Amino acid sequence: MTTFPSGVDLDWFEAELHRLEEVSRFPEMPRNLFDEGPHLITTPELPWGDAVREESVAAYLRFIHGETWITGGGAREMEAEVVGWLGGLMGAEEPAGFITSGGSESNMCAILTAKQRAGRRGGSVVFPDNGHYSLHKLCRMFDLDPIVVPAPGGRLDQVDPEAVEAAVRSDTIAIIATAGTWAYGSVDPIAEMGAIAQRHGLYLHVDGAFGGFILPFLERSGYDTTIPAWDFRVPGVCSISADLHKNGMAPPPAGTLLFRDASLLKAAKEICPPNGTMSGTRGAGPIAGAWAMVKLLGEPGYTAVSLKSMAMRDELAVGVAGIDGLDVHPGSRINMTLIHSRTLDLRPAAEQLRRRGWMFAARAVPGPVSLVVVPMPHNDGQTTDFLRDLRECVESAPRLEGTAAEKSPEPVSSYGF
Ligand SMILES: Cc1ncc(COP(=O)(O)O)c(C=O)c1O
């Protein structure tokens, strides 16, 4: 038997690894209603689900020791294929870009590109109040002032374009819009924001971390013909991020940053040499896993996955509407579902649901707590059980006193972002 230099016994090591997998709750993934997990599984509507996922994992493993330097030839070809395909679907005539570690890095690289293009130090970035926290984070990192545009009437799924334009300052370098907001699932008025960006000569980045891998398929399949224009078809949009490890179904960490054309990629590489990414060494494994997913699913596969996720969202929304005191926040265009109440304090119910094994995010707005659920294929078959538990846990929920709903206290747990 192999002896390891540390003296650790193999049986102990295997048992410890198993324990850590259980601590990570991998065996319970179907009950993870957050956007984590091996998203793609076989369901009656997706009979090839497991086969595609297994091929993606196999490709990841075959490239696990690869990087994007000397041995990066294959990974760079795969990356170019993913970027070209997705950018084309999003209406770019000469798409360019790269694969990142996810939505936060993509947003960072987009704004660094805007900074490079503007050729200035400091400055400000304008974005609606529904922007993801990674936007605040990048402003702190890059010494930019975040100018947050308040939501009209407190409705975070909505954005007032006039207020966006009024927020632009002489030192503003970029506007950031979101297609598939966390946690409302809404799409900002990107056509209007594009026109504003053009009027003021500003860079417009669209954060499509969640929406980028579902909106094109909902739109192109005719499932939803009312999605407002949000991609490169909108003049003024410079870049779009879309996460492979969310609705792209790929193993993490994998996101994309897509540029309208190669001149923007050149600016990205000037500020973040050599690739335009924050990191230097990038693992080829996630790129290969994502490439396999894209090659094997293609547009028909992603369309089927998107329709499946939306069917589960609709089932959930109908069930929630049937529970006294609960609402699904209006305005979601994607599989993002925000469950809240105007009359009940859902904090105890959220804790009870967690004790029953459900995994989801909680949010302090609308207060005191709302539940964020993002159904994906790996949650297949869980909706009925979740709705039953939700109904039972909400039965004993205390009524909200006075204006408690407006106060937005701290979220109930560390998942509350
Ligand atoms: C709209 C939006 N942007 C960016 C991100 C950040 O993505 P990541 O966690 O992959 O960095 C998220 C994550 O939930 C998101 O919802």
Side-chain angles (χ1 to χ4, degrees):
M1 195 169 98
T2 311
T3 313
F4 296 104
S6 64
V8 157
D9 170 73
L10 182 58
D11 288 342
W12 174 88
F13 176 76
E14 291 286 352
E16 182 63 356
L17 206 54
H18 181 71
R19 184 188 70 75
L20 291 166
E21 281 178 324
E22 294 211 313
V23 166
S24 306
R25 306 182 69 180
F26 291 160
E28 302 163 60
M29 270 316 184
R31 288 160 79 84
N32 190 338
L33 304 164
F34 191 52
D35 68 302
E36 286 176 3
H39 301 314
L40 186 57
I41 60 161
T42 290
T43 73
E45 306 84 350
L46 314 174
W48 28 256
D50 287 332
V52 171
R53 177 173 43 77
E54 282 157 17
E55 289 300 329
S56 165
V57 171
Y60 193 121
L61 291 177
R62 283 168 70 167
F63 276 73
I64 201 158
H65 297 294
E67 300 184 0
T68 49
W69 300 112
I70 295 171
T71 57
R76 281 195 295 272
E77 269 190 39
M78 292 174 183
E79 178 174 43
E81 256 194 87
V82 171
V83 164
W85 175 75
L86 189 60
L89 279 183
M90 291 181 180
E93 282 173 17
E94 299 166 44
F98 39 76
I99 291 185
T100 64
S101 61
S104 303
E105 188 187 354
S106 297
N107 287 340
M108 287 169 195
C109 296
I111 297 310
L112 286 174
T113 307
K115 211 167 142 64
Q116 178 71 7
R117 204 179 74 148
R120 57 168 299 147
R121 298 170 75 88
S124 63
V125 178
V126 171
F127 55 87
D129 202 6
N130 62 27
H132 186 254
Y133 78 84
S134 58
L135 308 186
H136 295 271
K137 176 168 154 178
L138 70 85
C139 284
R140 281 194 299 276
M141 289 170 74
F142 307 145
D143 199 18
L144 295 163
D145 279 349
I147 307 181
V148 178
V149 181
R155 282 278 305 267
L156 281 157
D157 59 302
Q158 294 180 3
V159 173
D160 173 7
E162 280 181 22
V164 172
E165 185 151 28
V168 170
R169 295 195 318 220
S170 58
D171 70 349
T172 299
I173 60 164
I175 299 175
I176 308 177
T178 305
T181 56
W182 175 268
Y184 303 89
S186 50
V187 176
D188 289 349
I190 292 170
E192 290 85 343
M193 293 168 85
I196 295 167
Q198 288 199 307
R199 270 200 294 280
H200 296 267
L202 298 174
Y203 187 105
L204 176 60
H205 171 61
V206 176
D207 178 355
F210 255 105
F213 260 95
I214 188 167
L215 289 167
F217 309 107
L218 298 180
E219 191 180 359
R220 289 165 69 93
S221 65
Y223 170 89
D224 188 349
T225 53
T226 66
I227 296 168
W230 64 278
D231 59 14
F232 290 116
R233 287 167 297 173
V234 174
V237 170
C238 296
S239 55
I240 302 177
S241 52
D243 274 359
L244 288 150
H245 64 202
K246 294 188 174 79
N247 280 313
M249 302 287 119
T256 61
L257 181 61
L258 309 162
F259 294 109
R260 177 180 285 283
D261 60 42
S263 70
L264 291 162
L265 176 60
K266 182 167 171 285
K269 288 180 176 179
E270 279 162 9
I271 192 160
C272 285
N275 306 305
T277 55
M278 300 284 290
S279 53
T281 297
R282 289 183 299 154
I287 296 175
W291 173 83
M293 199 53 92
V294 162
K295 289 307 277 184
L296 297 176
L297 287 181
E299 186 169 351
Y302 277 113
T303 302
V305 167
S306 303
L307 298 181
K308 169 71 185 165
S309 299
M310 293 306 277
M312 290 165 66
R313 179 203 81 159
D314 291 346
E315 196 186 333
L316 198 69
V318 169
V320 169
I323 300 176
D324 267 355
L326 291 192
D327 287 308
V328 169
H329 200 280
S332 179
R333 296 280 187 169
I334 60 169
N335 49 344
M336 183 80 66
T337 319
L338 185 72
I339 302 168
H340 71 115
S341 178
R342 277 173 291 211
T343 52
L344 304 172
D345 179 349
L346 297 182
R347 284 174 291 187
E351 286 304 339
Q352 281 174 44
L353 282 165
R354 291 219 166 110
R355 279 200 294 276
R356 291 187 186 199
W358 294 104
M359 292 169 255
F360 52 87
R363 200 180 146 83
V365 185
V369 76
S370 306
L371 318 185
V372 190
V373 166
V374 193
M376 290 185 177
H378 68 281
N379 305 125
D380 187 49
Q382 301 294 318
T383 316
T384 310
D385 287 356
F386 177 71
L387 285 169
R388 185 204 57 227
D389 283 356
L390 181 64
R391 181 185 294 277
E392 285 174 15
C393 293
V394 164
E395 260 163 23
S396 53
R399 293 197 73 76
L400 279 176
E401 300 292 333
T403 57
E406 316 305 325
K407 284 188 190 150
S408 308
E410 284 303 299
V412 288
S413 85
S414 57
Y415 305 176
F417 44 86

